[in-house]
Amino acid sequence: MMDINSFGILGGDKRQAALAESLAADGCTVYAWGLDRLPLSEDVRRSRLEEIVSRCMTIILPLPVTVDGKTLNAPYSGETLALDDSFAGLMQHKEVYGGRMAKLFATSSLWDTAEAYDYYTREEFAVRNAGVTAEAAVAIAVREYEGSLIGGRCLVAGYGRIGRALASLLRGMGAQVTVSARRPRDMAWIEISGCRAVQTEKLGEGEEPYDVVFNTIPALVFPKRVLSRLKPGCLVIDLASAPGGVDFAAAEKLGIRTVHALSLPGKVSPRAAGEIIKQTIYNMMEE
Amino acid sequence: MMDINSFGILGGDKRQAALAESLAADGCTVYAWGLDRLPLSEDVRRSRLEEIVSRCMTIILPLPVTVDGKTLNAPYSGETLALDDSFAGLMQHKEVYGGRMAKLFATSSLWDTAEAYDYYTREEFAVRNAGVTAEAAVAIAVREYEGSLIGGRCLVAGYGRIGRALASLLRGMGAQVTVSARRPRDMAWIEISGCRAVQTEKLGEGEEPYDVVFNTIPALVFPKRVLSRLKPGCLVIDLASAPGGVDFAAAEKLGIRTVHALSLPGKVSPRAAGEIIKQTIYNMMEE
Amino acid sequence: MMDINSFGILGGDKRQAALAESLAADGCTVYAWGLDRLPLSEDVRRSRLEEIVSRCMTIILPLPVTVDGKTLNAPYSGETLALDDSFAGLMQHKEVYGGRMAKLFATSSLWDTAEAYDYYTREEFAVRNAGVTAEAAVAIAVREYEGSLIGGRCLVAGYGRIGRALASLLRGMGAQVTVSARRPRDMAWIEISGCRAVQTEKLGEGEEPYDVVFNTIPALVFPKRVLSRLKPGCLVIDLASAPGGVDFAAAEKLGIRTVHALSLPGKVSPRAAGEIIKQTIYNMMEE
Amino acid sequence: MMDINSFGILGGDKRQAALAESLAADGCTVYAWGLDRLPLSEDVRRSRLEEIVSRCMTIILPLPVTVDGKTLNAPYSGETLALDDSFAGLMQHKEVYGGRMAKLFATSSLWDTAEAYDYYTREEFAVRNAGVTAEAAVAIAVREYEGSLIGGRCLVAGYGRIGRALASLLRGMGAQVTVSARRPRDMAWIEISGCRAVQTEKLGEGEEPYDVVFNTIPALVFPKRVLSRLKPGCLVIDLASAPGGVDFAAAEKLGIRTVHALSLPGKVSPRAAGEIIKQTIYNMMEE
């Protein structure tokens, strides 16, 4: 029997488990497959795929849906779920949500006619993740930097979502915050937030007197030339996805301490990450 | 003799005078016409139009360039400057900057071939003005609201530039801030800024327990129906351009105190406004 | 008939009227004398002194209780109430609260045996007033300073209650805040609040590059020597009680704009001031 | 030969090493004993005790000076330094600074005539340490709480130095902050900081809807009765020195996650801690 208001949760990590719990706490009926090695409350029913397909109108796939392009991303499962025509067929006439769906869509032409949506492309998803990322980055800075952030001089390279969230957080904590950007409008926003604005391209022209540097730009913004202008004891935290924006080898030679911090929301705040996914899916369902 | 690095300032108000002084303080040679009844330092040379045309490569017109579409906006001048083919002719081969140029461009076809730029359309101009507007709005709230903003409950309707700047300012001052918006991405930004987010369209569905309400939306967001849900003693400050977003007649009948606050940067912070114009023109000249 | 839970409000200004309304809104029975020229809601009963004495156990006198030492401070009344043995006699067996009671106590030896309390000496009263004062000072700065506070450089001289509240407010608004103090512990608090700390005694040793200066110290901290190191266009707001901490004559000669801002809570935020008095009296009644 | 402006650093941990480096960076000559297993730059001279005694006028002992009351606290040394009359004799005619000196003073009557000062009792030392502690506590909360602090509901129990620093930090990060205190003046400060104030003694009277609870009070503020009113998933971080303010056994039974976080500055931010010691000693030397 098909269960209105029920969700089938397939695969994923702690975020997916947190999502399942949060949906259940909202009063939804939640079935889960592939979270075998994670604890789940009684409110989430561990189920076989067939049961989920027969009962649930709405299916939530993990983030990312797949790593290898062939099987569902299910690191906490003992089983494997192939992404093929057969799976795509089961998903017909469902509402399917997932994160980073492109590789999935390439697995079967049946996806062309499915109601399948990618929450990863949603702006509000990215914004809330930026908040959680910024928070985790601050915690890393406190732990790894041997001095104090309060009153400390911080540079945030880049004023995208993470840069903006991070600058606000650091200033709120009492740091002296400089943000680098390119566009005049960003320079204006930076300044009316009480931060100092510098041109990204001018980094390294003089001495850069920062205690902690956060890079958010996915380009080599910190080559050896710029790194060599940082002061001794400076900590560099790179939040840009691999290969990142820092010449790590050069940094090591220069004796500059670096941290390459990736995928922070899932690692540091899985519950918050699960909430964000849920909220985004709710928004998508309403539209 | 044409003077490289010289500016001709025509008409305008205190912002234009502040702009003239700030350019002079940067080491530029500055000639001004039409600021007769405003004090100017010795660094700004009061001049006739002919002199300015003969000496300056760069001409700065006021904001707005014209009110009536026929003469230059020069409220502090005893003279009148007609905007016609003759004036447009004089401006050929100059770089001309001004704010709200559309009406000017309609005065002569010669403008089609002029190098004339509107700083009012620049995003960074709008952002910095939003900062100054927010600051002035806070000052109005402190003065007009008989209670205290610190710990007070504030509603900011709208999350455009002014809404965003205002929300940040109010929260920084210790208020409990709710912001209304429509787009999911804005709701996300509002929440990761430590504010509460509500749907603009849901305003007035229940009691609205705010001490001070700031409207930034240029649409009737506060009709009688919504106003009647505000609590007694609430102050409503409308920052939206005329006719504004508040039914002022209904507010008066309901005994709700309102302030319609327009053009704040020019009125409250002319020096900041002049700085913003200068900075924007510098950006435009560099590009 | 004596009315338990009733308050008699005598004299005072808008704060006293706000206090009366707020007590009434809390469900108390409130009788008022001497607020003739201020509007009052129906919940506050305008009464003669005899009625108040016969009905109320708790009497609230204004702040200050008296200016001339002979009559009750009642600027909004057409009548005069003499502070003499007769009045002191009526107040026997009452609980009497007021602000700045010393002059009252000197009017009759009967006060020695009265239950009369001064809320003005309470620390929490002073702290909350500091908050309201800081807020009003910020509003003055926005209105009087022609530039922008956001990103502006502010000096707060003194780290007493008002200095602390003001520094926090200004930093929250995005200003760059320097605070002057003397005690090492204050220097420490200033720095861990994200502000810069300087020694008060070193003010004026070099150029003082501030946009707005707020003085909270009741001593001549800004003599001509210090004023002459401020930059042109700087605004100085003196919050210290008369004669204040600024050599106003010297400032005028130097062309420095000054504002001497006194008694801000009563003037700018009478409703907040009334709330603060009420809250303080509640605390005193509980003890 | 006695070296004016030279410091002898004895024992201690990473804070002491950071202090040595910082003094050297200020241009002082620095001799160190007992930091054998910590890296030191060339600017700090590793020395024998005799050399230090013969060269240095100022001696800095560690924090705490001693754990066992018999030997110097020197966890990174292979040697042991007895605290006896002989050591006290060597310290005569020196200026001696250290943290928690009482046990040292009990080791020899010679200390009665020594110039020996305890920086641990200095208020500015405690304030700056509170800042670093607050910062470290926030980092723990981000790491251990699976949700997000931004927009999260935090309770800070106690408004001493750490409570005050923590409340400010959390609010600056965008959390909704409630602070518990007892004194009316503290309630007032909490409220004018934009936080909510509650009576400490009323904790647990109703549901306590917090995401993260920080205790700073060295008394059993969180017995089972109060813990049982916290919501599921709440994280409790106890910053009070042992035995702390939380019934940890009860918390475990209730399934509430707890962290007992002690001595954070030394563990998390040794460089900041070293700076704080240096700054405090400078202040003491000036007086």
Side-chain angles (χ1 to χ4, degrees), chain D residues 54-276:
Chain D
S54 73
R55 290 190 184 276
C56 302
M57 275 305 297
T58 308
I59 304 291
I60 303 183
L61 305 180
L63 166 64
V65 172
T66 176
V67 175
D68 59 12
K70 295 176 185 164
T71 60
L72 192 78
N73 175 26
Y76 289 94
S77 170
E79 295 175 72
T80 297
L81 176 52
L83 301 177
D84 51 18
D85 284 338
S86 161
F87 180 71
L90 292 173
M91 293 299 113
Q92 298 295 100
H93 313 302
K94 307 279 181 201
E95 275 189 40
V96 181
Y97 296 91
R100 299 191 158 189
M101 304 277 270
K103 280 187 185 168
L104 173 70
F105 293 160
T107 62
S108 166
S109 60
L110 288 172
W111 285 109
D112 299 347
T113 56
E115 270 195 84
Y117 308 98
D118 195 335
Y119 58 74
Y120 190 78
T121 61
R122 296 280 297 196
E123 182 72 11
E124 78 266 35
F125 175 81
V127 170
R128 287 186 216 267
N129 262 298
V132 176
T133 299
E135 197 176 299
V138 163
I140 290 171
V142 170
R143 199 167 64 230
E144 298 293 331
Y145 179 59
E146 294 194 339
S148 171
L149 282 196
I150 303 176
R153 277 164 301 184
C154 296
L155 171 67
V156 176
Y159 197 66
R161 294 181 210 97
I162 294 176
R164 175 177 161 190
L166 195 45
S168 166
L169 217 50
L170 289 167
R171 193 176 198 284
M173 293 179 70
Q176 299 175 54
V177 183
T178 299
V179 184
S180 93
R182 273 184 313 114
R183 296 189 304 175
R185 76 173 65 181
D186 288 340
M187 308 301 273
W189 274 118
I190 291 163
E191 285 175 12
I192 76 166
S193 310
C195 299
R196 198 168 69 94
V198 297
Q199 291 284 345
T200 299
E201 63 190 27
K202 293 194 176 166
L203 287 175
E205 284 194 355
E207 298 301 315
E208 302 291 358
Y210 303 107
D211 298 311
V212 183
V213 170
F214 300 85
N215 177 53
T216 72
I217 305 171
L220 190 56
V221 176
F222 292 93
K224 188 181 168 189
R225 179 184 60 76
V226 177
L227 291 169
S228 66
R229 309 308 288 269
L230 297 177
K231 69 171 195 179
C234 175
L235 170 70
V236 178
I237 299 176
D238 192 1
L239 301 164
S241 47
V246 176
D247 181 338
F248 291 102
E252 196 178 347
K253 275 184 199 157
L254 289 163
I256 290 170
R257 191 164 165 60
T258 55
V259 179
H260 198 178
L262 294 176
S263 308
L264 293 178
K267 285 179 194 158
V268 178
S269 306
R271 199 195 295 173
E275 281 299 314
I276 292 169

Side-chain angles (χ1 to χ4, degrees), chain B residues 24-47:
Chain B
D26 285 357
C28 305
T29 309
V30 182
Y31 299 82
W33 174 91
L35 296 167
D36 316 358
R37 289 196 293 266
L38 289 175
L40 289 174
S41 75
E42 294 178 354
D43 300 334
V44 176
R45 310 181 193 182
R46 299 187 189 268
S47 317

Side-chain angles (χ1 to χ4, degrees), chain A residues 40-118:
Chain A
L40 288 174
S41 75
E42 294 178 354
D43 299 333
V44 176
R45 311 181 191 183
R46 297 186 188 271
S47 316
R48 285 174 306 107
L49 182 60
E50 293 70 33
E51 187 183 16
I52 290 176
V53 169
S54 73
R55 289 190 185 277
C56 302
M57 274 305 298
T58 309
I59 304 292
I60 304 183
L61 306 179
L63 165 63
V65 172
T66 178
V67 175
D68 59 12
K70 295 176 185 166
T71 60
L72 192 78
N73 174 26
Y76 289 94
S77 171
E79 296 175 71
T80 298
L81 177 51
L83 300 177
D84 51 18
D85 284 337
S86 162
F87 180 72
L90 291 172
M91 293 298 115
Q92 297 295 100
H93 313 302
K94 306 278 182 202
E95 274 188 39
V96 181
Y97 296 91
R100 298 193 159 190
M101 304 278 269
K103 279 187 187 169
L104 173 70
F105 293 160
T107 62
S108 166
S109 59
L110 287 173
W111 285 109
D112 297 348
T113 55
E115 270 194 83
Y117 308 97
D118 195 336

Side-chain angles (χ1 to χ4, degrees), chain B residues 203-210 223-232 234 254 256:
Chain B
L203 287 175
E205 285 194 356
E207 298 301 313
E208 301 291 358
Y210 303 107
K224 187 180 168 190
R225 180 183 60 75
V226 177
L227 290 170
S228 66
R229 309 309 287 267
L230 298 177
K231 69 171 193 180
C234 174
L254 289 163
I256 291 170

Side-chain angles (χ1 to χ4, degrees), chain A residues 246-261:
Chain A
V246 176
D247 182 339
F248 291 101
E252 198 178 345
K253 276 184 199 155
L254 289 162
I256 291 170
R257 191 163 165 58
T258 55
V259 179
H260 198 179

